[in-house]
Amino acid sequence: MYCKFGEVLVAEELFREMDWVDVVSMNAMISGYSSNGYVEDAVGVFKELIGSGGKPNPSTFVGLIPVFSPFGHESLSRCIHGFILKSGFDRNSSVSTAITTVYIRLNDMEAARMAFDVMPEKTMASWNAMISGYAQNGLTEMAISLFQEMQSLKVQPNPVTTASILSACAQLGALTLGKWVHQIINREGVEPNVYVSTALIDMYAKCGSIGEARRIFDAMREKNDVSWNAMIMGYGLHGQGQDAVRLFQDMLSSNQICPNGVTFLSVLNACSHGGLVEEGRRIFHSMDGDYRVRPGPEHYACMVDMLGRAGKLKEALEFIERAPIDAGPGVWGALLGACKIHKNTSLAQLASKKLFELEPENPGYYVLLSNIHSANRNYSKAATVRDEVKSQRMTKTPGCTLIEINNTMYTFTSGDRSHPQSEAIYAKLEEITGKMVEAGYRVETDAALYDVEEEEKESMVRVHSEKLAIAFGLISTEPGSEIRIIKNLRVCLDCHNATKFISKVTERVIVVRDANRFHHFRDGVCSCGDYW
Ligand code: ZN
Ligand code: ZN
């Protein structure tokens, strides 16, 4: 009882006063120490148990494995695992669930999976730990394949399983899989609690089906702040600023749930992407005044982004200077991004200087500044900035695009020729580029965000990963059907422009999710209004 309330020292005193201890009292002390972070003391009692000739049982090991404070105890965890293997306790499902969990927390997914695979009887807790472990470590495909295995073994998922698998689908933008999980939820009668429904909203919004997300939201009997935030954030992702603001007002007038920092961030982000400067300004000022939510650096960055996108660069700078907090990299980064859109070199230099001081290791800012110089035809300055990146040996995140065809995810990188249908993909790209040029398309080389040498630029832009993925989508799907792709970085100006032309000449709807938001391309126009 004392251990469970965190009073380990009182428990220890009582334990030491006992005339006679057995395995049950020792187990209580071991797990009490371990769960309160006193891992070494837990090991001490375990040694006493072994030294006195006592026999450990499964509870001893479940208590001893430092599931609650794994960091810094990696080698100890492996030692305990070794002991468990030797003594044969790995056949016990509580023990092996604890081993799996500690490896997941230590980010060793391979060891976790091995422990999981040898479990003779897998508990619900171990399935959930493994699936959510994959999802949280970004191994979304593994999470999904394990869930499929669970389905084929007829193990019924519970709300925890479905919420983690939906988050994996959302990360991956895998709409077909997400819908399949939704069907399973309905079919197996998984308790439709607020967490599952919120995970469904998040999945549909991030996979591009904002209407379906709203239907689920409206059907929820009980909503919490996370559900409202997920829906508002979804509208922001789709550039539907008005809808986000309207829903935010509904939230306020419902009088049931108070907006928190995440709510404000979601609605401000939606205002920024929807160009709603007045609303955004008003909401920002109401934060502290009406709702006692103190704006954090992320809220300030969002405001700078909003003012900057709308071309109010001077006001954005004044806003930073007046801010009562120290402007961090997010704030200056937002200003630098706006300088690129509006080709303001002098302000860009000021923002970059701050950023180089704050985050000297981040190559993204150097690339951005270099591009701003070259867009203004100041090539020597652009080259100086690029040399800086090279001399510091910084590496940039390579761009890649995902596309889901018949339940399989395909990944393309820039200039990728690894796909088996590579030849057909390039031929298709060539064919549509011809039609696009006839319709008035010109390559925009200044827009190549991903720092390549000048002479390579034009040819590289032509084969950016999203163009390859779209070409593959065109040859692999029925004419007239929608194409959905996901880009890990912000889509570049040329790819954005090209996708508009592709949607026109092929009469397809193309939905692109990039690092910031969704773009719905239809008949030569993008839903973002060229504002992203
Ligand atoms: Zn591109
Ligand atoms: Zn767009």
Side-chain angles (χ1 to χ4, degrees):
M1 190 270 289
Y2 276 113
C3 284
K4 292 223 162 91
F5 284 109
E7 300 279 354
V8 191
L9 296 180
V10 182
E12 182 178 60
E13 215 177 301
L14 290 171
F15 179 72
R16 291 300 166 204
E17 279 172 8
M18 288 169 79
D19 298 328
W20 182 80
V21 288
D22 63 359
V23 68
V24 177
S25 47
M26 284 184 149
N27 284 354
M29 205 57 231
I30 290 172
S31 86
Y33 274 135
S34 183
S35 58
N36 285 288
Y38 298 86
V39 178
E40 281 75 17
D41 295 303
V43 174
V45 180
F46 178 72
K47 283 181 180 161
E48 278 176 45
L49 173 66
I50 303 292
S52 66
K55 290 234 178 313
N57 60 22
S59 304
T60 317
F61 291 107
V62 172
L64 183 63
I65 298 167
V67 169
F68 298 99
S69 45
F71 303 106
H73 295 113
E74 185 165 349
S75 60
L76 174 69
S77 302
R78 290 187 205 283
C79 286
I80 298 171
H81 187 193
F83 199 101
I84 289 168
L85 285 173
K86 272 197 236 166
S87 44
F89 283 109
D90 58 319
R91 322 265 319 149
N92 178 284
S93 53
S94 316
V95 174
S96 43
T97 301
I99 297 170
T100 309
T101 311
V102 80
Y103 281 128
I104 291 169
R105 301 223 166 130
L106 288 165
N107 280 335
D108 188 342
M109 294 307 294
E110 262 177 66
R113 183 58 187 262
M114 275 196 267
F116 175 81
D117 282 342
V118 298
M119 255 181 242
E121 265 177 63
K122 297 176 177 52
T123 56
M124 202 60 219
S126 65
W127 281 103
N128 287 344
M130 206 60 223
I131 289 174
S132 69
Y134 277 135
Q136 281 156 15
N137 279 295
L139 300 165
T140 38
E141 280 150 17
M142 297 295 287
I144 289 165
S145 93
L146 192 61
F147 180 71
Q148 286 165 331
E149 197 179 317
M150 191 177 174
Q151 281 293 300
S152 64
L153 294 171
K154 306 249 180 297
V155 183
Q156 202 185 343
N158 70 10
V160 180
T161 334
T162 45
S164 358
I165 202 69
L166 285 170
S167 118
C169 294
Q171 280 178 44
L172 215 52
L175 182 61
T176 325
L177 275 166
K179 278 186 184 161
W180 175 68
V181 177
H182 192 181
Q183 281 168 4
I184 292 171
I185 292 171
N186 291 337
R187 193 181 65 215
E188 312 243 334
V190 176
E191 187 196 334
N193 67 21
V194 64
Y195 300 101
V196 173
S197 302
T198 303
L200 278 169
I201 293 173
D202 185 56
M203 183 278 291
Y204 276 117
K206 289 194 177 141
C207 293
S209 288
I210 191 76
E212 191 56 39
R214 183 60 195 252
R215 266 188 290 283
I216 292 165
F217 179 81
D218 287 338
M220 282 172 84
R221 258 174 290 147
E222 181 208 344
K223 301 181 183 85
N224 64 14
D225 52 342
V226 188
S227 339
W228 286 91
N229 293 352
M231 195 62 226
I232 295 174
M233 199 182 298
Y235 279 132
L237 273 176
H238 289 265
Q240 293 173 229
Q242 303 279 12
D243 292 308
V245 172
R246 218 170 292 136
L247 192 64
F248 175 69
Q249 306 293 6
D250 291 348
M251 179 181 185
L252 299 181
S253 48
S254 79
N255 269 331
Q256 281 159 356
I257 284 156
C258 286
N260 57 25
V262 180
T263 320
F264 281 106
L265 194 61
S266 311
V267 69
L268 288 175
N269 193 38
C271 289
S272 174
H273 284 276
L276 305 174
V277 179
E278 272 316 306
E279 279 90 343
R281 222 186 255 138
R282 193 172 45 74
I283 291 170
F284 180 82
H285 289 301
S286 76
M287 283 181 74
D288 212 2
D290 302 344
Y291 302 100
R292 296 206 194 129
V293 179
R294 182 158 299 164
E298 63 282 12
H299 299 98
Y300 281 94
C302 206
M303 284 302 285
V304 171
D305 185 64
M306 184 176 82
L307 294 168
R309 277 169 198 277
K312 300 177 187 298
L313 291 175
K314 211 173 135 244
E315 192 184 335
L317 183 64
E318 283 165 10
F319 180 81
I320 297 175
E321 286 165 350
R322 272 201 325 259
I325 57 159
D326 271 341
V331 173
W332 290 111
L335 186 65
L336 183 60
C339 291
K340 166 147 175 69
I341 301 174
H342 300 286
K343 297 196 164 62
N344 185 327
T345 333
S346 58
L347 206 50
Q349 264 165 325
L350 171 77
S352 332
K353 203 172 146 253
K354 297 278 185 191
L355 285 164
F356 298 160
E357 281 166 23
L358 290 164
E359 284 192 348
E361 304 285 300
N362 189 330
Y365 305 133
Y366 291 88
V367 176
L368 208 45
L369 181 63
S370 153
N371 283 320
I372 292 170
H373 282 309
S374 50
N376 285 333
R377 315 211 173 277
N378 194 339
Y379 299 113
S380 67
K381 271 208 171 152
T384 319
V385 178
R386 276 206 310 276
D387 286 345
E388 186 92 4
V389 179
K390 275 187 203 144
S391 69
Q392 301 196 15
R393 293 174 195 282
M394 288 183 268
T395 48
K396 298 178 289 295
T397 313
C400 72
T401 303
L402 285 172
I403 182 166
E404 186 189 336
I405 303 278
N406 298 329
N407 296 327
T408 308
M409 280 292 189
Y410 297 90
T411 311
F412 289 89
T413 53
S414 192
D416 200 337
R417 288 192 179 268
S418 61
H419 193 278
Q421 281 167 271
S422 185
E423 248 174 68
I425 293 169
Y426 277 84
K428 186 74 193 174
L429 192 57
E430 186 99 341
E431 178 206 319
I432 51 170
T433 307
K435 287 190 191 151
M436 284 152 64
V437 170
E438 269 173 42
Y441 165 73
R442 294 288 171 272
V443 179
E444 303 217 26
T445 45
D446 278 350
L449 263 178
Y450 309 108
D451 184 73
V452 280
E453 298 301 314
E454 287 299 326
E455 59 269 28
E456 286 175 26
K457 258 190 180 174
E458 186 171 333
S459 58
M460 285 300 278
V461 169
R462 286 179 189 282
V463 291
H464 269 179
S465 58
E466 45 271 65
K467 295 194 180 83
L468 298 176
I470 292 172
F472 178 55
L474 286 171
I475 60 172
S476 322
T477 55
E478 294 293 316
S481 60
E482 199 172 275
I483 293 177
R484 300 167 166 273
I485 61 167
I486 302 162
K487 171 82 196 263
N488 66 335
L489 306 169
R490 185 174 165 274
V491 61
C492 86
L493 188 58
D494 184 67
C495 286
H496 193 270
N497 191 30
T499 312
K500 287 200 278 186
F501 278 96
I502 298 173
S503 73
K504 195 181 172 79
V505 301
T506 63
E507 295 177 357
R508 296 268 199 142
V509 172
I510 303 170
V511 182
V512 179
R513 186 179 107 186
D514 74 359
N516 289 341
R517 58 170 298 148
F518 273 97
H519 304 261
H520 295 254
F521 295 91
R522 193 191 301 267
D523 198 26
V525 187
C526 180
S527 63
C528 75
D530 299 334
Y531 196 84
W532 77 100

